[in-house]
Amino acid sequence: MFFKFSTSLALGACLLLSANIASAAPIIDTQLSGETVVPKLEAVAASKSIPFKDRFEINRRDLKAFYALNDYQPVWIKERRWSNQIADLVSVISQVGAEGLSPRHYDISKLISGIPEEDEDVAKTDYLISAAYMRLMRDLDEGRYNYRFTNDIAKKAFEGIKQPSLETWMMDLLPKSKYYTDLRKALRQYRGIVKQGDFQTVSSSKVLKPGMSHPAVAQLRNTLLQMGDYVPKPVEPIEPVVAAPAADQNILGDVPEADEMQALLSDDGAAAAQALAAEKAAQEAAAKAAAEERERLKSVYDDALVAAVKNFQTRHRLGADGIVGKATFRQLNTSAEYRVLQIKANMERLRWEFDPEDGRYIRVHMGSYRLSAFENDEEVLSMPVVIGKKTRPTPVLADRIVTLKFRPDWTVPPTIFKEDYLPRIYSNPGWVAARGFELSYGGRSIDPYAAVASGIIEHATLRQPPGDRGALGAVRFSLTNDMAIFLHDTPSKSYFQRDNRALSSGCVRVGDPAALAHYVMSNQSGWSKDRILDKMNYGDTSYAKVKNPVPVFLSY
């Protein structure tokens, strides 16, 4: 049973929430002393039949651990009063729309519409609010759809409720990178465009090239203006031409001690009036011609528009050539509503990542096949990459480079061995030696022909020793994941010249491995560019431990 407030609580307005709570009872934040709610909360946390237990998708074990850390004290309702922290929680819920999340996923408005009367109802209400809090906290911290959570959610949630300001603490969980803050601004911008009716479509059966004139150019200009890529130059006003007045009169007939009409009827006055009319007509004609010229120029693909198109192409990871072809048209005509979904998805992916401790990190932009290395959000290195093909895509991943392996060997992963190499060996066992591979079984070398004949080839191990033909090239950048995903050099340099570079079996091949190795080791003494090249090109396999592992984010 519940006591109802006279005014319902508004989820989106923290001040209204505070006012409603205050109208019923003062908000205090004290510990219970001998309150019978504590054993009730223990029972609720242990129960397997709590109403709406799956509402916020929080594991019962995590909730029980959270309350155990808090000695099963209620968090949100204390001595029949709302804690100060409930207002902070509602305020955060009201703000998550700007982060691409839905406030509906954490809606506690019905739970806080009144103070429960019975101890068991107090316990259940507090428990469910905690579930909403923990769900929201995790979504802000590690993402809503992350499949590899790393934090102890109970411990993290308990840390939060001990903070002076729960709201400040929760909002500080969000990513701090420039990528994320830029996406937050873009989300607000594109939502505004959706409300205004979306972008103007650019329709043309022709490729638009600099210098040409076409009706679609005007549409292109307007669309890029909406998107912020095109900034029009201010129109210079036409200066009006005014006839000089006579020494003792002006053209309007304001002549000292003379009748206005008489002045106009005089020869001089009439001539001046005609001259003024001619000048006025000329001015109007010039203005009309200028307006017509401006209208004509809207359909001319001029230099300013070329620059805007190149900016648009760069933003969308297209070839910035200023030519509007099929790929550019496709991106131009993508709706703002779809862009909103893309932005929200990318904000979610960024929440899966962690904040670099020293400002140094590497990002692989898989959508554009580029790798960028950063120092404090400033790009200091860029290169092309080859990523996984559609059948073996490179996963979205947040990891760290922990070791460099120079002149690496390569043990072919089981899946690649069975799907790619085994058919070749069955067809021609001599392929193994011809390609510089080694075959082993039970730790011993075996002859490919004998392995095929006996059938043990199915369970054999295929290894490629270090060398110029090695699939991993001259250096491997080892990560910590359990999916055998890493970055590496490659002997197939021609792949970097292709437009579509989704060609690998999942790992990332880098275009300038020496430069990347120098970046990774640049804060460790003794690792000059010359030493790195020496390690890559000569000697046996060797390792270099990265003292401060460099974060690597594989993302779209």
Side-chain angles (χ1 to χ4, degrees):
M1 181 178 179
F2 292 85
F3 296 119
K4 299 294 182 181
F5 297 135
S6 58
T7 306
S8 62
L9 294 170
L11 179 61
C14 184
L15 291 177
L16 181 57
L17 167 72
S18 300
N20 287 339
I21 293 177
S23 68
I27 301 176
I28 62 173
D29 194 2
T30 59
Q31 293 296 316
L32 293 170
S33 54
E35 176 74 55
T36 55
V37 173
V38 174
K40 295 291 185 182
L41 253 175
E42 286 188 88
V44 166
S47 172
K48 294 184 179 180
S49 59
I50 300 300
F52 313 112
K53 64 179 182 299
D54 297 323
R55 179 173 175 180
F56 301 109
E57 301 171 350
I58 287 296
N59 190 292
R60 188 186 297 107
R61 291 190 300 273
D62 291 326
L63 271 162
K64 185 176 181 180
F66 169 66
Y67 276 104
L69 289 170
N70 200 43
D71 297 327
Y72 292 97
Q73 296 281 346
V75 176
W76 316 102
I77 305 172
K78 301 189 176 183
E79 296 187 348
R80 309 298 176 184
R81 294 173 174 84
W82 291 111
S83 161
N84 287 333
Q85 291 176 318
I86 195 74
D88 273 6
L89 178 58
V90 172
S91 179
V92 174
I93 293 172
S94 72
Q95 298 176 58
V96 297
E99 311 301 328
L101 296 169
S102 172
R104 295 192 304 273
H105 291 150
Y106 323 99
D107 185 5
I108 58 172
S109 56
K110 291 182 180 179
L111 295 172
I112 60 176
S113 61
I115 299 286
E117 186 178 86
E118 303 295 334
D119 289 344
E120 185 173 356
D121 291 330
V122 169
K124 288 180 180 179
T125 299
D126 203 89
Y127 180 88
L128 289 172
I129 294 174
S130 291
Y133 157 62
M134 293 172 74
R135 174 78 264 180
L136 175 56
M137 182 215 73
R138 170 164 277 179
D139 290 358
L140 295 175
D141 188 33
E142 295 191 275
R144 183 169 181 83
Y145 302 101
N146 193 348
Y147 61 95
R148 300 184 72 206
F149 294 113
T150 59
N151 286 332
D152 181 334
I153 186 173
K155 184 178 180 181
K156 189 89 172 180
F158 181 68
E159 176 190 343
I161 64 170
K162 297 303 179 184
Q163 301 299 314
S165 170
L166 179 64
E167 179 177 0
T168 300
W169 179 83
M170 291 186 75
M171 297 307 290
D172 195 51
L173 297 173
L174 289 164
K176 299 172 182 61
S177 71
K178 186 176 183 297
Y179 280 100
Y180 191 84
T181 55
D182 284 350
L183 283 172
R184 184 191 286 125
K185 294 176 184 176
L187 181 61
R188 183 170 61 249
Q189 174 193 355
Y190 278 79
R191 279 174 168 166
I193 292 169
V194 170
K195 289 182 179 179
Q196 294 169 9
D198 217 320
F199 297 121
Q200 180 176 347
T201 301
V202 183
S203 56
S204 174
S205 58
K206 287 187 176 181
V207 172
L208 302 181
K209 297 181 179 180
M212 72 183 295
S213 180
H214 192 277
V217 171
Q219 297 174 333
L220 174 64
R221 197 183 306 274
N222 289 335
T223 298
L224 292 179
L225 180 64
Q226 279 184 288
M227 293 179 176
D229 294 286
Y230 179 75
V231 180
K233 293 182 179 179
V235 179
E236 296 182 3
I238 299 175
E239 294 291 336
V241 179
V242 180
D248 59 349
Q249 69 177 31
N250 62 32
I251 299 304
L252 296 178
D254 186 11
V255 182
E257 300 179 0
D259 180 74
E260 183 178 289
M261 183 63 69
Q262 183 180 357
L264 290 174
L265 291 174
S266 69
D267 291 341
D268 291 342
Q274 290 173 358
L276 178 61
E279 292 292 349
K280 185 176 180 181
Q283 183 179 352
E284 290 176 349
K288 181 180 179 182
E292 290 174 350
E293 179 64 8
R294 285 196 297 272
E295 194 64 30
R296 185 189 70 81
L297 289 175
K298 288 181 181 179
S299 298
V300 175
Y301 194 180
D302 57 17
D303 291 343
L305 187 54
V306 170
V309 168
K310 286 183 176 180
N311 188 65
F312 175 86
Q313 290 172 327
T314 299
R315 287 198 303 108
H316 291 81
R317 305 284 177 176
L318 302 168
D321 56 7
I323 297 173
V324 185
K326 184 177 180 180
T328 302
F329 273 124
R330 183 169 59 249
Q331 295 298 333
L332 282 167
N333 291 325
T334 299
S335 69
E337 189 172 9
Y338 183 75
R339 293 295 187 208
V340 166
L341 296 176
Q342 283 185 309
I343 292 167
K344 289 167 67 174
N346 284 320
M347 293 177 78
E348 168 67 11
R349 288 185 179 118
L350 287 172
R351 286 190 288 268
W352 298 352
E353 300 177 0
F354 50 86
D355 290 320
E357 295 176 1
D358 62 359
R360 300 176 76 237
Y361 65 97
I362 294 165
R363 183 173 297 282
V364 176
H365 308 272
M366 292 191 286
S368 58
Y369 313 115
R370 299 290 301 179
L371 177 151
S372 299
F374 295 87
E375 291 183 0
N376 298 318
D377 275 337
E378 292 294 326
E379 186 179 81
V380 296
L381 182 65
S382 178
M383 65 187 68
V385 296
V386 172
I387 66 168
K389 51 193 172 186
K390 287 184 178 181
T391 54
R392 293 179 193 155
T394 302
V396 173
L397 192 64
D399 209 328
R400 290 179 170 87
I401 295 177
V402 292
T403 307
L404 267 59
K405 185 177 182 179
F406 296 104
R407 298 186 65 76
D409 61 338
W410 182 44
T411 299
V412 180
T415 299
I416 298 177
F417 173 63
K418 290 181 179 180
E419 295 182 5
D420 295 352
Y421 292 104
L422 197 54
R424 300 179 188 180
I425 297 172
Y426 270 123
S427 175
N428 176 21
W431 176 91
V432 175
R435 293 295 179 134
F437 281 88
E438 299 172 351
L439 202 63
S440 64
Y441 177 78
R444 296 182 179 182
S445 296
I446 55 173
D447 177 73
Y449 290 92
V452 169
S454 64
I456 64 172
I457 187 67
E458 296 280 350
H459 308 287
T461 298
L462 187 66
R463 174 182 174 271
Q464 188 178 44
D468 296 336
R469 298 169 65 186
L472 304 188
V475 60
R476 160 182 162 162
F477 303 84
S478 301
L479 308 179
T480 67
N481 64 84
D482 57 3
M483 296 179 283
I485 298 297
F486 47 85
L487 282 62
H488 65 88
D489 182 19
T490 177
S492 304
K493 304 298 184 183
S494 62
Y495 284 4
F496 297 110
Q497 306 304 317
R498 298 187 184 185
D499 291 332
N500 181 355
R501 296 196 290 276
L503 304 167
S504 81
S505 292
C507 289
V508 177
R509 307 175 190 180
V510 299
D512 193 345
L516 185 60
H518 183 256
Y519 167 84
V520 171
M521 304 299 289
S522 61
N523 60 352
Q524 293 181 219
S525 60
W527 285 97
S528 65
K529 292 181 180 179
D530 288 341
R531 186 186 180 194
I532 287 171
L533 288 173
D534 186 64
K535 288 284 187 181
M536 288 175 61
N537 296 320
Y538 307 104
D540 298 326
T541 300
S542 62
Y543 298 84
K545 183 178 180 180
V546 183
K547 291 182 179 178
N548 296 311
V550 179
V552 176
F553 304 121
L554 311 181
S555 62
Y556 287 90

